[in-house]
């Protein structure tokens, strides 16, 4: 395998493209928005440069990665020769299904089609294609260049061969993999969304400031990041979509905190918009 495509060049797509590019894969990055693709190109190149300056990448890897990256708004051109495609568009099931149906038409029959969904069902997505055995979830973590894990979720019809190939890919791009049977939110999002939601409710109830809630979790419970700063990093719109899906599928315990809904309505989306539980301007 040596060619990959990443569909959706937002927070996650950029990081996933970077991981493939520094590992010798040719990468076609696709987005429907020209501006998103231009920003992705600037951001990935700047990350490559910083990583090289800090000595995390050799000059040779840096130059090869730059050559490996291609940016393409046309999905057919981006995906037609890919051995593996990772979809990282918004967390909306209809959108993901429609992209997988297009990929099913466009891609080589042996290509692996992976979704970076945080919560949703690869079974449901795969069932709308002619190759559910090749459909799998590869859940990367933010920021991708620092986080080692890929949570791999096997749908009902995902084949052993596909999971083995994903294991090989994970090794090639220097990530650790855990294998999870499908259930909404998998292991990480189900746990993390609940912790984040409780922190938001506590903040809303005035139990403590955002800073003190985060400090308590970091210094008292040894979390590397506080739940509110993490939600800001993820993007509050993305987190709200995750909570809504978990609420729908797993029940009342996952009802989104009212403050999360209020912030998203106000356009406070966390780090990416300059303001969330913290101010970034
Ligand atoms: N943000 C996180 O921390 C995080 C972590 C793990 C997984 N995820 C999951 O990754 C996925 C992407 O999340 P994100 O935070 O990167 O979102 P984002 O909003 O930053 O980026 C999504 C991108 O998809 C593009 N897009 C929309 N429709 C498209 C289409 N039809 N074809 C191509 N591109 C299209 C948008 O223009 C945008 O650039 C979601 O499923 C999310 O749940 C997010």
């Amino acid at each position: 395998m040596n060619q990959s495509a990443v569909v959706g060049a937002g927070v996650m797509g950029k990081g996933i493209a970077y991981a493939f590019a520094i590992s010798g894969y040719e990468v076609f990055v696709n987005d429907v928005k020209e501006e998103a693709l231009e920003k992705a190109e600037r951001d990935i190149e700047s990350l490559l440069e910083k990583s090289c300056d800090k000595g995390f990448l050799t000059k040779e890897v840096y130059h090869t990665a730059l050559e490996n990256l291609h940016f393409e708004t046309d999905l057919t051109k981006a995906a037609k020769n890919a051995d593996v495609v990772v979809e990282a568009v918004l967390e909306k099931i209809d959108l993901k299904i429609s992209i997988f149906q297009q990929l099913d038409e466009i891609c080589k029959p042996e290509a692996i089609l992976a979704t970076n969904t945080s919560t949703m069902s690869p079974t449901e997505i795969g069932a709308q294609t002619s190759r559910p055995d090749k459909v799998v979830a590869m859940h990367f973590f933010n920021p991708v260049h620092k986080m080692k894990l890929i949570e791999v979720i096997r749908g009902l019809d995902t084949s052993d061969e596909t999971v083995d190939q994903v294991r090989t890919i994970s090794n090639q791009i220097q990530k650790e993999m855990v294998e999870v049977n499908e259930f909404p939110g998998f292991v990480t999002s189900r746990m993390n969304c609940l912790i984040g939601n409780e922190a938001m409710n506590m903040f809303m109830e005035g139990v403590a400031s955002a800073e003190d809630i985060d400090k308590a979790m970091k210094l008292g419970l040894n979390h590397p990041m506080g739940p509110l700063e993490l939600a800001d990093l993820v993007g509050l719109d993305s987190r709200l979509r995750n909570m809504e899906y978990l609420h729908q599928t797993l029940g009342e315990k996952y009802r989104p905190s009212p403050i999360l809904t209020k912030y998203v309505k106000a356009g406070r989306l966390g780090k990416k918009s300059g303001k969330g539980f913290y101010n970034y301007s």
Side-chain angles (χ1 to χ4, degrees):
M1 290 207 178
N2 58 19
Q3 193 171 127
S4 62
V6 178
V7 183
V11 174
M12 293 305 288
K14 286 185 280 195
I16 296 166
Y18 171 94
F20 277 104
I22 61 164
S23 308
Y25 273 80
E26 213 170 331
V27 194
F28 285 78
V29 189
N30 165 265
D31 202 289
V32 275
K33 290 191 191 151
E34 187 76 53
E35 320 84 76
L37 216 46
E38 283 166 8
K39 181 167 186 334
E41 185 166 1
R42 285 195 303 275
D43 289 352
I44 299 172
E45 286 180 7
S46 144
L47 181 59
L48 283 168
E49 202 176 315
K50 274 188 208 140
S51 305
C52 185
D53 289 347
K54 288 183 182 160
F56 297 130
L57 299 179
T58 63
K59 279 244 159 12
E60 195 190 340
V61 170
Y62 167 71
H63 287 296
T64 314
L66 281 179
E67 280 166 23
N68 282 344
L69 281 158
H70 312 278
F71 296 85
E72 181 55 71
T73 46
D74 182 328
L75 183 62
T76 304
K77 287 187 190 152
K80 67 176 184 216
N81 293 319
D83 302 299
V84 53
V85 182
V86 182
E87 163 277 310
V89 303
L90 308 176
E91 190 80 342
K92 291 184 180 167
I93 194 71
D94 294 348
L95 177 61
K96 288 185 188 291
I97 287 174
S98 115
I99 287 171
F100 272 72
Q101 286 172 330
Q102 293 173 61
L103 291 172
D104 193 26
E105 296 282 318
I106 295 166
C107 293
K108 301 187 289 194
E110 66 274 22
I112 291 179
L113 307 184
T115 171
N116 182 50
T117 179
S118 305
T119 53
M120 295 178 168
S121 162
T123 302
E124 186 177 352
I125 296 169
Q128 304 298 323
T129 71
S130 66
R131 55 175 107 183
D133 58 314
K134 296 278 179 199
V135 174
V136 66
M138 286 177 80
H139 181 206
F140 289 77
F141 292 81
N142 185 9
V144 180
H145 67 284
K146 290 193 181 152
M147 302 300 284
K148 288 300 287 179
L149 185 66
I150 304 179
E151 192 177 24
V152 174
I153 299 94
R154 188 190 256 279
L156 204 56
D157 292 318
T158 310
S159 68
D160 290 342
E161 191 195 3
T162 297
V163 174
D164 286 345
Q165 286 172 324
V166 167
R167 185 170 288 107
T168 305
I169 296 168
S170 304
N171 284 335
Q172 286 169 337
I173 62 174
Q174 295 156 60
K175 303 287 179 198
E176 294 281 332
M177 134 176 182
V178 289
E179 191 183 328
V180 177
N181 291 316
E182 185 180 309
F183 213 79
F186 325 135
V187 171
T188 52
S189 301
R190 182 169 164 183
M191 197 79 89
N192 186 42
C193 283
L194 206 53
I195 294 172
N197 211 48
E198 202 53 36
M200 290 172 202
N201 282 332
M202 284 197 267
F203 173 73
M204 186 182 68
E205 288 157 8
V207 173
S209 66
E211 288 81 358
D212 280 349
I213 291 171
D214 281 345
K215 189 172 173 184
M217 295 299 280
K218 286 188 279 192
L219 302 187
L221 298 178
N222 225 7
H223 285 215
M225 279 183 88
L228 298 174
E229 57 183 339
L230 180 56
D232 271 359
L233 177 71
V234 165
L236 299 185
D237 49 345
S238 297
R239 178 59 66 86
L240 179 59
R241 277 192 208 100
N242 296 158
M243 288 306 304
E244 285 169 345
Y245 183 76
L246 293 175
H247 184 220
Q248 229 176 59
T249 51
L250 296 177
E252 196 47 34
K253 196 161 63 168
Y254 293 86
R255 177 182 291 282
S257 172
I259 192 112
L260 175 62
T261 311
K262 193 194 266 185
Y263 277 10
V264 173
K265 279 188 182 151
R268 285 197 192 187
L269 306 182
K271 211 166 178 183
K272 65 181 164 190
S273 74
K275 201 168 183 188
F277 289 96
Y278 294 91
N279 207 335
Y280 300 90
S281 49

